Amino acid sequence: QVQLVESGGGLVQPGGSLRLSCAASGFTFSSSAMSWYRQAPGKERELVAAAGSSTNYADSVKGRFTISRDNDKNTVYLQMNFLKPEDTAVYFCHAEFRKFGLRRSAWGQGTQVTVSS
C-alpha cells in the first residue's frame, strides 16, 4: 500500500528554520519523482520544490528552502530557512512513480507549518 507520511511541522518564529520529512512506502522510491507542495487557507495548492531528474523551486522560496532525499531511508526532506509569515501553510508531500507499469501519483496528508511571532 502506497503511503506518504509527513512530519516536522510546527510553530516557528519569523527567521527561524524547520525541516520537514516525508517517509514513503509502497513503491520504488529511488526511481520516483518527489516534491513538496503547500496550501494556505483560501489559496490553491502550489508547488514549492521538486526533486526528480532535476531540482526546481518556486521563486518565493529560492535561496531559503532546500529539497533533498535519502534513498536508503525512503525519505524526502524540505529544509526551510529564514521562514516568513507567508510561508504559513499545510505542506504536502507528493510522489510520482510507476507501479505495475502504470504511472501513479500519491499525496501525503500534510503537516502544518505556522510562522508567527
Side-chain angles (χ1 to χ4, degrees):
Q1 186 174 356
V2 174
Q3 279 195 21
L4 299 174
V5 181
E6 301 99 332
S7 63
L11 176 65
V12 64
Q13 291 184 297
S17 298
L18 211 57
R19 188 176 76 158
L20 306 183
S21 298
C22 173
S25 61
F27 60 94
T28 303
F29 181 82
S30 61
S31 59
S32 68
M34 304 297 298
S35 59
W36 286 95
Y37 287 73
R38 67 185 181 187
Q39 187 167 25
K43 293 187 175 182
E44 293 185 348
R45 192 169 298 185
E46 64 173 343
L47 177 65
V48 176
S53 58
S54 62
T55 302
N56 301 104
Y57 298 93
D59 288 340
S60 60
V61 307
K62 283 183 178 178
R64 300 189 298 122
F65 291 11
T66 303
I67 187 170
S68 62
R69 60 194 297 163
D70 187 336
N71 289 339
D72 291 334
K73 295 182 177 180
N74 285 2
T75 301
V76 63
Y77 304 94
L78 184 67
Q79 179 66 47
M80 304 183 294
N81 299 323
F82 306 104
L83 283 161
K84 304 174 181 179
E86 48 263 48
D87 294 319
T88 296
V90 177
Y91 284 71
F92 298 90
C93 181
H94 182 261
E96 293 187 6
F97 55 93
R98 289 187 180 274
K99 194 172 180 67
F100 304 120
L102 301 175
R103 290 191 63 186
R104 300 274 303 280
S105 65
W107 291 97
Q109 292 300 305
T111 184
Q112 177 71 48
V113 172
T114 302
V115 184
S116 176
S117 59

